[in-house]
Amino acid sequence: MKALKIGPEDNVAVLLGSVKAGDRIEISDSEIIIAEEDINQGHKIALCDINKGEAIVKYGNIIGYASHDIKEGSWVHIHNVKTGLQGIIEYRYEPDKAPIVQRENISDIPDRFMGYLRKNGEVGIRNEIWIIPTVACVNDIARKLAALGNEYRSSISGYTDDVVAFTHPFGCSQTGEDKEATERVLAGLATHPNAAGVLLLGLGCENSGIEAVIEKMGDYEPDRIRCLICQNVEDEIKEGEKLLKELIVNAAEEGRTPVGIDKLTIGLKCGGSDGLSGITANPLLGVVADKISQAGGSCIMTEVPEMFGAEKLLMNRCVNEELFNELVDMINRFKSYFMQNGQNIYENPSPGNKAGGITTLEDKSLGCTQKSGTSAVRGIIDYGERICEQGLNLLYAPGNDPVAATALSAAHAQLILFTTGRGTPFAAPVPTMKISSNSDLAKRKKNWIDYDAGELAEGKSRQESADRLIKKIIACAEGEKVCSEKAGYHDMAIFKRGVTL
């Protein structure tokens, strides 16, 4: 049985399979240790005796400290490790320590792909009609209209992918920045290039109504937008159906055309991580993200609380000190948000993460941030804002899967790559490709998982796996549906931070 020692300084290794007490564990050709106890796949094993108070090192970085003496060959986890993280701290910009590496081979990234070129220059990878309620009170109307719209869509010639209602529980009884953030997210979705047409559906008395959303949309294409205030018409279903038919007819005239790879923006997200996520799926995404960025495309990574403990690695990769200061503000602002609400900043990992072998937030973050690869950080995006810098961007949003994925969509990622060690069926407003960190999950949940990165734990080449995943990404961008789309899943969630009136 093999275990992976990730960094030369590490004093723990990650088991690539479950072991029993007494099993011989091959760390390298010249290093073998004996398991002191039964330990599951993805969990850590001590490579030497570690005294109480000594650092636990993984990925070449400290992931915590021993809370008890740990014997060589023993299980290293929450029962004998504690976090070493603190609250708000001061940071220094040290770009000379940034491990920025240019990928040598990006020939596997095509110069162009077939997408829907919109009049404003943005490109969609789907040709859908989106119904976006401005308030929860009209959610059922939105769902009913989506069903009617799909009936009509299937009866006419031309090509439209789907009619989808993105319902949510907000849009009224919100104040201040909380209200503004909801409006920004709705505006970001309403202008998303994957939507050939959008029906903004309001009630009429909400404080985040259609006019407030339109105000935050900036320059938009009027031909792609229809608005309906339900209190202002006698029959909202009849009026809504009429507007949807107009949008569907217009969308059916759209067609795919060759567009540059610089028009592709990928969202990077992980959820339900396990001990293999940081050595299979997330590093794989890092290679893909680097290649896409170097080829002229863009990538957006979010989940700020899951940068805690690895934030310095990202800060030192910022292209200048001004951007570094923006990232420092992003990190400390999120820590302040936790503290203002009386919450422990490091109330993480989740129970599922721990069951999969992740011990501390440092452990989780150092694995999580590997999705960003080694490219320079070129942009910082606030919650509800849209991407404006080519290359790697970091987005202010929590770790919660639907909330973070919706924020990526509102930032105008056309596709999200979602790594997972536990599995989840959810989908963002945009296609959400699930990538498993272990092969057992891919085999058990074929209806959830689109790509198996667990092959990397079995010795497959990361470069070859990245090439295959890139081909799948381009196929998806050109219309191939992912598992969640085939199942008809479409979700959205908004980051609620303020009071409810």
Side-chain angles (χ1 to χ4, degrees):
M1 174 58 65
K2 290 186 177 181
L4 178 63
K5 180 181 179 180
I6 301 169
E9 309 90 348
D10 293 0
N11 55 10
V12 295
V14 179
L15 290 171
L16 302 181
S18 298
V19 300
K20 297 289 186 182
D23 284 352
R24 291 167 56 86
I25 314 298
E26 182 182 343
I27 308 301
S28 67
D29 292 340
S30 59
E31 185 177 5
I32 293 176
I33 62 173
I34 307 299
E36 288 290 317
E37 55 194 309
D38 297 354
I39 312 174
N40 289 332
Q41 180 189 55
H43 286 249
K44 294 173 288 296
I45 188 169
L47 298 178
C48 59
D49 290 345
I50 304 172
N51 296 324
K52 180 179 179 180
E54 289 185 347
I56 307 297
V57 182
K58 180 184 174 186
Y59 302 111
N61 289 274
I62 296 173
I63 64 165
Y65 295 87
S67 57
H68 300 82
D69 290 342
I70 303 174
K71 186 178 179 181
E72 177 185 308
S74 296
W75 180 28
V76 179
H77 200 35
I78 57 175
H79 61 290
N80 53 18
V81 179
K82 61 181 180 180
T83 181
L85 293 180
Q86 304 171 13
I88 294 176
I89 60 177
E90 292 185 6
Y91 299 96
R92 288 191 302 170
Y93 184 43
E94 300 175 305
D96 56 312
K97 295 183 179 180
I100 295 174
V101 178
Q102 292 291 307
R103 299 292 173 184
E104 294 181 359
N105 180 14
I106 61 169
S107 60
D108 48 313
I109 303 285
D111 293 331
R112 305 178 78 78
F113 69 97
M114 300 296 290
Y116 294 97
L117 180 61
R118 308 303 181 191
K119 292 179 181 178
N120 65 356
E122 289 195 80
V123 170
I125 67 170
R126 295 293 182 268
N127 206 42
E128 298 175 334
I129 305 298
W130 290 2
I131 303 172
I132 300 178
T134 60
V135 65
C137 306
V138 295
N139 281 345
D140 286 333
I141 295 171
R143 295 186 187 100
K144 189 168 185 178
L145 286 173
L148 292 170
N150 276 311
E151 286 181 17
Y152 180 71
R153 177 183 63 85
S154 62
S155 70
I156 67 168
S157 59
Y159 188 76
T160 309
D161 287 296
D162 206 350
V163 180
V164 185
F166 289 118
T167 58
H168 60 88
F170 303 124
C172 197
S173 301
Q174 292 176 275
T175 62
E177 170 58 20
D178 191 44
K179 170 181 176 292
E180 297 282 321
T182 292
E183 293 165 2
R184 289 198 303 269
V185 168
L186 297 180
L189 293 176
T191 55
H192 198 287
N194 280 10
V198 172
L199 174 60
L200 284 174
L201 185 67
L203 180 60
C205 56
E206 64 271 26
N207 64 355
S208 288
I210 287 177
E211 289 186 1
V213 173
I214 288 178
E215 186 178 321
K216 290 182 173 57
M217 286 167 57
D219 292 333
Y220 67 94
E221 300 172 50
D223 291 347
R224 289 171 57 200
I225 305 293
R226 296 292 185 276
C227 302
L228 175 60
I229 298 175
C230 294
Q231 289 175 345
N232 292 355
V233 298
E234 182 177 351
D235 188 336
E236 66 279 359
I237 299 299
K238 181 179 178 180
E239 292 297 323
E241 190 174 11
K242 175 184 174 182
L243 295 174
L244 281 178
K245 286 180 179 179
E246 293 176 8
L247 292 170
I248 291 167
V249 169
N250 291 344
E253 297 176 357
E254 299 276 352
R256 290 185 182 270
T257 187
V259 295
I261 199 69
D262 61 305
K263 298 295 186 180
L264 184 64
T265 299
I266 303 294
L268 307 173
K269 175 78 180 78
C270 59
S273 300
D274 67 356
L276 294 183
S277 294
I279 60 178
T280 58
N282 289 345
L284 174 63
L285 257 60
V287 175
V288 170
D290 285 341
K291 290 192 171 195
I292 289 174
S293 295
Q294 286 180 224
S298 297
C299 297
I300 309 173
M301 187 177 79
T302 186
E303 304 177 273
V304 177
E306 294 173 23
M307 298 176 190
F308 298 166
E311 70 268 41
K312 292 180 182 178
L313 301 178
L314 296 169
M315 289 173 179
N316 290 335
R317 284 162 51 193
C318 288
V319 292
N320 54 50
E321 193 162 1
E322 180 181 358
L323 199 66
F324 161 80
N325 289 328
E326 289 184 39
L327 181 50
V328 169
D329 177 70
M330 174 188 281
I331 295 293
N332 284 338
R333 194 154 42 109
F334 220 107
K335 289 182 177 179
S336 296
Y337 162 67
F338 277 29
M339 292 187 292
Q340 288 164 4
N341 286 277
Q343 298 300 310
N344 185 343
I345 292 175
Y346 308 115
E347 191 60 41
N348 212 335
S350 70
N353 295 152
K354 293 173 183 176
I358 296 175
T359 301
T360 62
L361 184 50
E362 300 100 306
D363 190 3
K364 186 175 183 179
S365 295
L366 287 163
C368 174
T369 54
Q370 292 197 50
K371 299 191 300 296
S372 67
T374 61
S375 297
V377 176
R378 298 190 176 275
I380 303 294
I381 308 171
D382 203 359
Y383 179 73
E385 299 294 344
R386 285 158 249 177
I387 186 172
C388 59
E389 297 290 339
Q390 182 274 332
L392 176 63
N393 289 253
L394 304 179
L395 169 65
Y396 186 93
N400 177 271
D401 293 345
V403 173
T406 299
L408 287 167
S409 303
H412 285 199
Q414 301 123 316
L415 164 69
I416 294 174
L417 304 181
F418 186 102
T419 67
T420 179
R422 309 287 294 178
T424 177
F426 103 99
V430 301
T432 309
M433 185 182 295
K434 306 292 173 46
I435 300 161
S436 66
S437 64
N438 63 83
S439 295
D440 177 66
L441 173 61
K443 292 173 184 175
R444 286 187 295 106
K445 302 301 293 186
K446 293 180 180 179
N447 59 323
W448 289 0
I449 301 301
D450 298 285
Y451 190 88
D452 177 20
E455 63 183 12
L456 298 177
E458 300 164 5
K460 295 293 178 66
S461 162
R462 186 179 294 174
Q463 178 62 53
E464 291 178 3
S465 189
D467 292 346
R468 287 193 296 274
L469 180 54
I470 286 167
K471 288 179 181 178
K472 191 168 187 66
I473 290 167
I474 298 302
C476 177
E478 295 187 329
E480 183 179 287
K481 292 190 174 182
V482 297
C483 288
S484 56
E485 288 182 288
K486 294 174 185 177
Y489 299 157
H490 300 276
D491 305 304
M492 75 165 287
I494 295 174
F495 187 16
K496 171 68 173 166
R497 289 174 284 175
V499 299
T500 298
L501 297 176

